[in-house]
């Protein structure tokens, strides 16, 4: 029996959790921790038109595809959502694998950008939208511009983008503060178990 206030994941109706948040907040690291520690949670592999970085494996980190192949997936309604990220490349979530996992009762996680998260909310309103927030503005600033390799204009552009991205927190159902990766990872995993309500207090704004 579930305790009061909890809604257990029912067979055939498992939960879809969308993890989004500002650039440099550490979404990828938190998702990697879930992958390592909770293999029972399926994590969607996105398609992207960007080139693989050293060490990235096609079909593991992303499906690296051509612009033409990406166009075909859009035309065939093969993407649950897609977006141009950092004005550089297109990224998208293949629709069929997500639907297949949910139909078979497998908990599914999407780690995507804010534009994509908004599209998923439209298309799958039952998805739980989780915002990964930095512990503080100063910390985000450090993570964004910490390497100091950017000029003042690029630095300002990144900070301005981050401010806008932080405002999106209010659109989300829950916030996880990424002070510590292992803790954030555990909180994310707990979302698949608990019936977290949409009334979580706002962290940032
Ligand atoms: P990177 O190129 O560093 O791997 O990822 C850049 C950004 O793209 C990250 O913010 C990541 O969340 C986002 N991203 C990765 N996959 C997808 C996707 O399928 N859809 C969307 N909308 N964003 C994605």
């Amino acid at each position: 029996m579930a305790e009061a206030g909890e809604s257990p994941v029912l067979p055939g109706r498992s939960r879809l959790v969308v993890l989004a948040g500002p650039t440099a907040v550490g979404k990828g690291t938190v998702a990697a921790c879930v992958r390592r520690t909770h293999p029972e949670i399926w994590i969607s592999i996105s398609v992207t038109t960007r080139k693989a970085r050293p060490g990235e494996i096609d079909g593991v980190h992303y499906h690296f595809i051509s612009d033409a192949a990406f166009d075909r997936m859009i035309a065939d309604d093969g993407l649950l959502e897609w977006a141009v990220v950092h004005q550089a490349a297109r990224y998208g979530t293949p629709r069929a694998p997500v639907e297949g996992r949910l139909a078979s009762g497998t908990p599914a996680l999407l780690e995507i950008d804010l534009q994509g998260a908004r599209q998923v909310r439209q298309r799958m309103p039952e998805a739980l939208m989780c915002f990964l927030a930095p512990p503080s503005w100063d910390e985000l600033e450090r993570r964004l511009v910490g390497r100091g390799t950017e000029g003042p204009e690029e630095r300002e552009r990144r900070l301005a983008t981050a401010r806008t991205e932080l405002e999106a927190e209010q659109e989300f159902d829950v916030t996880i503060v990424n002070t510590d990766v292992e803790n954030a990872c555990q909180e994310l995993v707990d979302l698949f178990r608990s019936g977290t309500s949409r009334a979580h207090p706002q962290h940032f704004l």
Side-chain angles (χ1 to χ4, degrees), residues 77-154:
D77 195 22
L79 296 177
L80 181 58
E81 60 74 33
W82 69 272
V84 177
V85 180
H86 301 322
Q87 297 162 14
R90 289 187 288 176
Y91 296 78
T93 304
R95 195 161 55 83
V98 176
E99 290 177 350
R101 290 315 187 290
L102 293 177
S104 70
T106 307
L109 175 67
L110 309 184
E111 183 255 293
I112 59 179
D113 88 322
L114 290 167
Q115 310 167 74
R118 292 183 178 118
Q119 294 169 45
V120 176
R121 163 149 263 173
Q122 291 294 315
R123 291 188 81 168
M124 290 188 162
E126 70 279 16
L128 185 79
M129 310 300 292
C130 174
F131 188 87
L132 190 66
S136 67
W137 169 258
D138 286 353
E139 178 57 26
L140 184 65
E141 190 169 353
R142 250 194 307 281
R143 290 180 195 178
L144 264 174
V145 298
R147 286 162 301 179
T149 46
E150 302 82 21
E153 263 177 42
E154 172 62 14

Side-chain angles (χ1 to χ4, degrees), residues 3 96 101 166 186:
E3 286 171 26
R101 290 315 187 290
L166 282 174
Q186 191 54 52

Side-chain angles (χ1 to χ4, degrees), residues 28 32 48 62 92 172 184-186 190 200:
T48 181
Y62 286 102
F172 282 73
C185 171
Q186 191 54 52
D190 288 346
H200 192 278

